[in-house]
Amino acid sequence: MKFTKMHGCGNDYVYVNCFTEKVDHPEETAILVSDRHFGIGSDGLILIKPSDVADFEMDMYNADGSRGAMCGNGIRCVAKYVYDNGLTDKTRITVSTGSGIKTLDLSVENGCVKTVRVNMGSPVLEAEKIPVVSDTSRVISQPITVAGKDFFYTALSMGNPHAVVFLDDVENLKIEEIGPEFEHHRNFPDRVNTEFIKVIDDHTIQMRVWERGSGETLACGTGACAAAVASILNHKVSSRKVSVLLRGGELQIEWAGEGQPVYLTGPAVTVFTGEYPAGK
């Protein structure tokens, strides 16, 4: 199986061109290739496929083999792959995902994609649709007890469920302990991605993220969108353009308000190509 490893702000995936390759057992393959000691090493597997409804299809799997609906960092790398490898010459493309069709605008320098702006769609705020168990129709700055500690969280979906928690300090957070507790909390029937946020100023936030099925990652595109939306809803920032500082880099998020789409802009990088298993 020929593959390309790519990343967006350190959120790395193994990409397979399914126009020419076939992956029979993607769930099992995702687990094998994601292993950072015995595999290629990644946050998951993304298959780039033909589509009847868009220019391309993104079929993604987390590191534990579970299927993902959407990945903001992953889809930017899909755009880079298809352009840089000659599958398209368009600088605006559509990609079908588990959470709908996304439109991407590609910024090209010297024949290669450098950054991508993605229309991520409108955030879902209705608790039932996220889904999240709640006595209220929306969950904005609601209390929750996790592992015996009290927090306030805001829940929304960007094609996958998110819980955003504001803290005074995220650097010293023991995310490997609290992250799994949030992920498997009874309030989240489909598990949840959790963003831990420190507000820097009126247009900048710092974020660490625990992704369901992958653990802590250096970046999460849908999580950055969720964090920016939650920051605006909770009046933590005054700007509709929010810079999100992640462990793997910086993403720019724009949201005009309810009923409007969220736009995500960030880099896409090719790391290396290869064949798995090596030498076969």
Side-chain angles (χ1 to χ4, degrees), residues 8-52:
C9 291
N11 191 193
D12 58 344
Y13 287 87
V14 171
Y15 293 79
V16 178
N17 177 0
C18 289
F19 285 78
T20 57
E21 300 283 330
K22 184 178 180 182
V23 180
D24 291 322
H25 304 287
E27 296 88 350
E28 298 173 12
T29 302
I31 296 171
L32 291 172
V33 300
S34 297
D35 192 296
R36 296 191 182 276
H37 298 287
F38 298 100
I40 298 166
S42 68
D43 292 325
L45 171 70
I46 291 180
L47 309 179
I48 302 172
K49 298 180 174 181
S51 172
D52 294 329

Short mmCIF file of all heavy atoms in Angstrom, two decimals, residues 8-52:
data_model
loop_
_atom_site.label_atom_id
_atom_site.label_comp_id
_atom_site.label_asym_id
_atom_site.label_seq_id
_atom_site.Cartn_x
_atom_site.Cartn_y
_atom_site.Cartn_z
N GLY A 8 -1.31 18.84 9.43
CA GLY A 8 -1.76 20.22 9.55
C GLY A 8 -1.54 20.64 10.99
O GLY A 8 -2.18 20.12 11.90
N CYS A 9 -0.57 21.50 11.22
CA CYS A 9 -0.21 21.94 12.58
C CYS A 9 0.11 20.76 13.50
O CYS A 9 -0.22 20.77 14.69
CB CYS A 9 -1.32 22.79 13.18
SG CYS A 9 -1.51 24.40 12.40
N GLY A 10 0.75 19.74 12.95
CA GLY A 10 1.17 18.60 13.76
C GLY A 10 0.12 17.53 13.92
O GLY A 10 0.41 16.46 14.47
N ASN A 11 -1.09 17.77 13.47
CA ASN A 11 -2.16 16.77 13.47
C ASN A 11 -1.94 15.91 12.23
O ASN A 11 -2.30 16.29 11.12
CB ASN A 11 -3.50 17.47 13.45
CG ASN A 11 -4.69 16.58 13.71
OD1 ASN A 11 -5.82 16.98 13.50
ND2 ASN A 11 -4.48 15.37 14.20
N ASP A 12 -1.28 14.75 12.41
CA ASP A 12 -0.77 13.99 11.28
C ASP A 12 -1.61 12.76 10.97
O ASP A 12 -2.12 12.08 11.86
CB ASP A 12 0.69 13.59 11.50
CG ASP A 12 0.90 12.76 12.77
OD1 ASP A 12 -0.01 12.75 13.63
OD2 ASP A 12 1.97 12.14 12.90
N TYR A 13 -1.73 12.48 9.67
CA TYR A 13 -2.46 11.31 9.20
C TYR A 13 -1.68 10.63 8.08
O TYR A 13 -0.86 11.25 7.40
CB TYR A 13 -3.85 11.72 8.68
CG TYR A 13 -4.82 12.08 9.77
CD1 TYR A 13 -4.88 13.39 10.26
CD2 TYR A 13 -5.68 11.14 10.32
CE1 TYR A 13 -5.76 13.73 11.27
CE2 TYR A 13 -6.57 11.47 11.33
CZ TYR A 13 -6.60 12.77 11.80
OH TYR A 13 -7.46 13.10 12.81
N VAL A 14 -2.00 9.36 7.89
CA VAL A 14 -1.51 8.60 6.75
C VAL A 14 -2.58 8.67 5.67
O VAL A 14 -3.75 8.34 5.92
CB VAL A 14 -1.23 7.14 7.15
CG1 VAL A 14 -0.92 6.30 5.91
CG2 VAL A 14 -0.07 7.07 8.14
N TYR A 15 -2.19 9.13 4.47
CA TYR A 15 -3.13 9.31 3.37
C TYR A 15 -2.88 8.26 2.30
O TYR A 15 -1.74 7.98 1.94
CB TYR A 15 -2.96 10.71 2.76
CG TYR A 15 -3.39 11.80 3.72
CD1 TYR A 15 -2.55 12.20 4.75
CD2 TYR A 15 -4.63 12.40 3.61
CE1 TYR A 15 -2.94 13.17 5.66
CE2 TYR A 15 -5.03 13.38 4.51
CZ TYR A 15 -4.18 13.76 5.53
OH TYR A 15 -4.57 14.71 6.43
N VAL A 16 -3.98 7.71 1.79
CA VAL A 16 -3.89 6.71 0.72
C VAL A 16 -4.77 7.17 -0.44
O VAL A 16 -5.94 7.52 -0.25
CB VAL A 16 -4.34 5.32 1.21
CG1 VAL A 16 -4.28 4.32 0.05
CG2 VAL A 16 -3.46 4.84 2.36
N ASN A 17 -4.20 7.17 -1.62
CA ASN A 17 -4.89 7.55 -2.85
C ASN A 17 -5.69 6.35 -3.35
O ASN A 17 -5.14 5.44 -3.97
CB ASN A 17 -3.88 8.01 -3.90
CG ASN A 17 -4.54 8.36 -5.22
OD1 ASN A 17 -5.75 8.28 -5.38
ND2 ASN A 17 -3.72 8.76 -6.20
N CYS A 18 -6.99 6.33 -3.07
CA CYS A 18 -7.82 5.18 -3.45
C CYS A 18 -8.32 5.27 -4.88
O CYS A 18 -9.16 4.45 -5.29
CB CYS A 18 -8.97 5.04 -2.47
SG CYS A 18 -8.44 4.47 -0.83
N PHE A 19 -7.77 6.22 -5.66
CA PHE A 19 -7.96 6.17 -7.10
C PHE A 19 -7.09 5.07 -7.69
O PHE A 19 -7.39 4.52 -8.74
CB PHE A 19 -7.59 7.52 -7.74
CG PHE A 19 -8.61 8.60 -7.51
CD1 PHE A 19 -8.68 9.25 -6.30
CD2 PHE A 19 -9.49 8.96 -8.52
CE1 PHE A 19 -9.62 10.26 -6.10
CE2 PHE A 19 -10.44 9.96 -8.33
CZ PHE A 19 -10.50 10.61 -7.11
N THR A 20 -5.99 4.77 -7.00
CA THR A 20 -5.04 3.76 -7.49
C THR A 20 -4.80 2.63 -6.49
O THR A 20 -4.29 1.58 -6.88
CB THR A 20 -3.68 4.41 -7.82
OG1 THR A 20 -3.18 5.08 -6.66
CG2 THR A 20 -3.84 5.43 -8.95
N GLU A 21 -5.12 2.83 -5.22
CA GLU A 21 -4.89 1.84 -4.18
C GLU A 21 -6.22 1.33 -3.63
O GLU A 21 -7.24 2.02 -3.72
CB GLU A 21 -4.06 2.42 -3.04
CG GLU A 21 -2.68 2.92 -3.44
CD GLU A 21 -1.69 1.79 -3.64
OE1 GLU A 21 -1.83 0.74 -2.97
OE2 GLU A 21 -0.78 1.94 -4.47
N LYS A 22 -6.20 0.15 -3.02
CA LYS A 22 -7.39 -0.41 -2.39
C LYS A 22 -7.05 -0.81 -0.96
O LYS A 22 -6.06 -1.50 -0.72
CB LYS A 22 -7.90 -1.63 -3.17
CG LYS A 22 -9.21 -2.20 -2.61
CD LYS A 22 -9.69 -3.38 -3.44
CE LYS A 22 -10.99 -3.95 -2.87
NZ LYS A 22 -11.45 -5.14 -3.66
N VAL A 23 -7.88 -0.38 -0.01
CA VAL A 23 -7.69 -0.74 1.39
C VAL A 23 -8.90 -1.56 1.82
O VAL A 23 -10.00 -1.03 1.96
CB VAL A 23 -7.54 0.52 2.27
CG1 VAL A 23 -7.33 0.12 3.73
CG2 VAL A 23 -6.37 1.37 1.78
N ASP A 24 -8.71 -2.86 2.03
CA ASP A 24 -9.83 -3.77 2.29
C ASP A 24 -10.37 -3.65 3.71
O ASP A 24 -11.57 -3.78 3.94
CB ASP A 24 -9.40 -5.21 2.02
CG ASP A 24 -9.17 -5.48 0.54
OD1 ASP A 24 -9.95 -4.94 -0.28
OD2 ASP A 24 -8.22 -6.20 0.21
N HIS A 25 -9.50 -3.43 4.68
CA HIS A 25 -9.93 -3.39 6.08
C HIS A 25 -9.40 -2.10 6.71
O HIS A 25 -8.44 -2.11 7.48
CB HIS A 25 -9.41 -4.61 6.83
CG HIS A 25 -9.83 -5.91 6.20
ND1 HIS A 25 -11.12 -6.40 6.28
CD2 HIS A 25 -9.12 -6.83 5.48
CE1 HIS A 25 -11.20 -7.55 5.64
NE2 HIS A 25 -10.00 -7.84 5.14
N PRO A 26 -10.04 -0.96 6.42
CA PRO A 26 -9.51 0.33 6.87
C PRO A 26 -9.45 0.48 8.39
O PRO A 26 -8.54 1.14 8.90
CB PRO A 26 -10.46 1.35 6.25
CG PRO A 26 -11.70 0.58 5.93
CD PRO A 26 -11.25 -0.80 5.61
N GLU A 27 -10.39 -0.12 9.12
CA GLU A 27 -10.36 -0.01 10.58
C GLU A 27 -9.09 -0.64 11.15
O GLU A 27 -8.39 -0.05 11.98
CB GLU A 27 -11.60 -0.67 11.20
CG GLU A 27 -12.91 0.00 10.81
CD GLU A 27 -13.52 -0.56 9.53
OE1 GLU A 27 -12.82 -1.34 8.82
OE2 GLU A 27 -14.67 -0.21 9.22
N GLU A 28 -8.80 -1.85 10.69
CA GLU A 28 -7.59 -2.55 11.14
C GLU A 28 -6.34 -1.85 10.64
O GLU A 28 -5.35 -1.72 11.38
CB GLU A 28 -7.62 -4.01 10.66
CG GLU A 28 -8.79 -4.82 11.20
CD GLU A 28 -8.86 -6.20 10.57
OE1 GLU A 28 -7.88 -6.60 9.89
OE2 GLU A 28 -9.88 -6.87 10.75
N THR A 29 -6.38 -1.39 9.40
CA THR A 29 -5.22 -0.71 8.82
C THR A 29 -4.90 0.56 9.59
O THR A 29 -3.73 0.89 9.83
CB THR A 29 -5.48 -0.38 7.34
OG1 THR A 29 -5.77 -1.58 6.63
CG2 THR A 29 -4.27 0.30 6.71
N ALA A 30 -5.94 1.30 10.00
CA ALA A 30 -5.74 2.54 10.75
C ALA A 30 -4.97 2.28 12.04
O ALA A 30 -4.05 3.03 12.40
CB ALA A 30 -7.08 3.20 11.06
N ILE A 31 -5.34 1.21 12.74
CA ILE A 31 -4.65 0.87 14.00
C ILE A 31 -3.19 0.54 13.74
O ILE A 31 -2.29 1.00 14.45
CB ILE A 31 -5.37 -0.31 14.69
CG1 ILE A 31 -6.79 0.10 15.10
CG2 ILE A 31 -4.57 -0.79 15.90
CD1 ILE A 31 -7.63 -1.06 15.60
N LEU A 32 -2.93 -0.23 12.71
CA LEU A 32 -1.57 -0.66 12.40
C LEU A 32 -0.68 0.51 11.99
O LEU A 32 0.42 0.68 12.51
CB LEU A 32 -1.60 -1.72 11.29
CG LEU A 32 -2.21 -3.07 11.66
CD1 LEU A 32 -2.36 -3.94 10.41
CD2 LEU A 32 -1.35 -3.78 12.70
N VAL A 33 -1.15 1.32 11.05
CA VAL A 33 -0.29 2.39 10.54
C VAL A 33 -0.12 3.52 11.55
O VAL A 33 0.89 4.23 11.54
CB VAL A 33 -0.81 2.96 9.20
CG1 VAL A 33 -0.88 1.87 8.14
CG2 VAL A 33 -2.15 3.66 9.36
N SER A 34 -1.09 3.69 12.45
CA SER A 34 -1.02 4.79 13.40
C SER A 34 -0.04 4.56 14.53
O SER A 34 0.42 5.51 15.17
CB SER A 34 -2.42 5.07 13.99
OG SER A 34 -3.32 5.48 12.99
N ASP A 35 0.28 3.31 14.79
CA ASP A 35 1.19 2.98 15.89
C ASP A 35 2.54 3.68 15.69
O ASP A 35 3.20 3.53 14.67
CB ASP A 35 1.41 1.46 15.96
CG ASP A 35 2.09 1.02 17.23
OD1 ASP A 35 3.25 1.43 17.44
OD2 ASP A 35 1.48 0.29 18.02
N ARG A 36 2.92 4.48 16.70
CA ARG A 36 4.13 5.31 16.57
C ARG A 36 5.42 4.55 16.86
O ARG A 36 6.51 5.09 16.70
CB ARG A 36 4.01 6.55 17.45
CG ARG A 36 2.87 7.45 17.00
CD ARG A 36 2.87 8.81 17.67
NE ARG A 36 1.73 9.61 17.25
CZ ARG A 36 1.69 10.35 16.14
NH1 ARG A 36 2.75 10.41 15.35
NH2 ARG A 36 0.61 11.04 15.82
N HIS A 37 5.31 3.30 17.27
CA HIS A 37 6.50 2.48 17.50
C HIS A 37 6.65 1.36 16.47
O HIS A 37 7.75 1.07 16.03
CB HIS A 37 6.45 1.88 18.91
CG HIS A 37 6.45 2.90 20.01
ND1 HIS A 37 7.56 3.63 20.35
CD2 HIS A 37 5.45 3.33 20.82
CE1 HIS A 37 7.27 4.45 21.34
NE2 HIS A 37 5.98 4.30 21.64
N PHE A 38 5.53 0.75 16.09
CA PHE A 38 5.60 -0.39 15.18
C PHE A 38 4.94 -0.12 13.82
O PHE A 38 4.96 -0.98 12.96
CB PHE A 38 4.92 -1.61 15.84
CG PHE A 38 5.60 -2.05 17.10
CD1 PHE A 38 5.08 -1.70 18.33
CD2 PHE A 38 6.78 -2.79 17.06
CE1 PHE A 38 5.70 -2.08 19.51
CE2 PHE A 38 7.41 -3.19 18.22
CZ PHE A 38 6.87 -2.83 19.46
N GLY A 39 4.37 1.07 13.65
CA GLY A 39 3.75 1.43 12.38
C GLY A 39 4.41 2.65 11.77
O GLY A 39 5.60 2.91 12.00
N ILE A 40 3.63 3.40 11.01
CA ILE A 40 4.15 4.64 10.41
C ILE A 40 4.15 5.75 11.45
O ILE A 40 5.08 6.55 11.50
CB ILE A 40 3.28 5.03 9.19
CG1 ILE A 40 3.34 3.92 8.12
CG2 ILE A 40 3.75 6.35 8.59
CD1 ILE A 40 2.28 4.05 7.05
N GLY A 41 3.12 5.78 12.26
CA GLY A 41 2.97 6.81 13.28
C GLY A 41 2.07 7.93 12.81
O GLY A 41 2.43 8.68 11.90
N SER A 42 0.86 8.02 13.39
CA SER A 42 -0.09 9.06 12.96
C SER A 42 -1.25 9.12 13.93
O SER A 42 -1.39 8.29 14.82
CB SER A 42 -0.63 8.74 11.56
OG SER A 42 -1.45 7.58 11.59
N ASP A 43 -2.09 10.13 13.72
CA ASP A 43 -3.34 10.26 14.48
C ASP A 43 -4.47 9.50 13.81
O ASP A 43 -5.60 9.49 14.32
CB ASP A 43 -3.73 11.73 14.62
CG ASP A 43 -2.77 12.50 15.52
OD1 ASP A 43 -2.27 11.91 16.50
OD2 ASP A 43 -2.50 13.69 15.24
N GLY A 44 -4.19 8.87 12.67
CA GLY A 44 -5.22 8.09 11.99
C GLY A 44 -4.91 7.89 10.52
O GLY A 44 -3.81 8.17 10.04
N LEU A 45 -5.92 7.40 9.82
CA LEU A 45 -5.81 7.05 8.40
C LEU A 45 -6.88 7.80 7.63
O LEU A 45 -8.04 7.85 8.04
CB LEU A 45 -6.02 5.54 8.22
CG LEU A 45 -6.15 4.99 6.81
CD1 LEU A 45 -4.82 5.06 6.06
CD2 LEU A 45 -6.67 3.55 6.84
N ILE A 46 -6.50 8.41 6.50
CA ILE A 46 -7.46 9.09 5.64
C ILE A 46 -7.34 8.55 4.22
O ILE A 46 -6.25 8.55 3.63
CB ILE A 46 -7.26 10.62 5.66
CG1 ILE A 46 -7.66 11.17 7.04
CG2 ILE A 46 -8.07 11.30 4.56
CD1 ILE A 46 -7.51 12.67 7.19
N LEU A 47 -8.47 8.09 3.70
CA LEU A 47 -8.53 7.55 2.35
C LEU A 47 -9.13 8.62 1.43
O LEU A 47 -10.19 9.19 1.72
CB LEU A 47 -9.39 6.29 2.31
CG LEU A 47 -9.04 5.20 3.34
CD1 LEU A 47 -10.00 4.02 3.19
CD2 LEU A 47 -7.59 4.76 3.21
N ILE A 48 -8.45 8.89 0.32
CA ILE A 48 -8.92 9.86 -0.67
C ILE A 48 -9.57 9.08 -1.81
O ILE A 48 -8.91 8.30 -2.50
CB ILE A 48 -7.76 10.73 -1.19
CG1 ILE A 48 -7.08 11.46 -0.03
CG2 ILE A 48 -8.27 11.73 -2.23
CD1 ILE A 48 -5.82 12.19 -0.41
N LYS A 49 -10.88 9.29 -2.00
CA LYS A 49 -11.65 8.45 -2.91
C LYS A 49 -12.37 9.29 -3.96
O LYS A 49 -12.61 10.49 -3.76
CB LYS A 49 -12.69 7.65 -2.12
CG LYS A 49 -12.13 6.68 -1.10
CD LYS A 49 -13.26 5.95 -0.38
CE LYS A 49 -12.77 4.87 0.55
NZ LYS A 49 -13.90 4.17 1.22
N PRO A 50 -12.79 8.65 -5.06
CA PRO A 50 -13.67 9.32 -6.01
C PRO A 50 -15.03 9.59 -5.34
O PRO A 50 -15.41 8.92 -4.39
CB PRO A 50 -13.82 8.32 -7.15
CG PRO A 50 -12.70 7.33 -6.96
CD PRO A 50 -12.42 7.29 -5.49
N SER A 51 -15.74 10.58 -5.85
CA SER A 51 -17.05 10.92 -5.29
C SER A 51 -18.03 11.21 -6.41
O SER A 51 -17.67 11.81 -7.43
CB SER A 51 -16.94 12.14 -4.37
OG SER A 51 -18.22 12.59 -3.97
N ASP A 52 -19.28 10.81 -6.21
CA ASP A 52 -20.35 11.11 -7.17
C ASP A 52 -21.01 12.45 -6.88
O ASP A 52 -21.77 12.96 -7.71
CB ASP A 52 -21.43 10.01 -7.12
CG ASP A 52 -20.91 8.67 -7.61
OD1 ASP A 52 -20.02 8.65 -8.48
OD2 ASP A 52 -21.41 7.63 -7.11
#
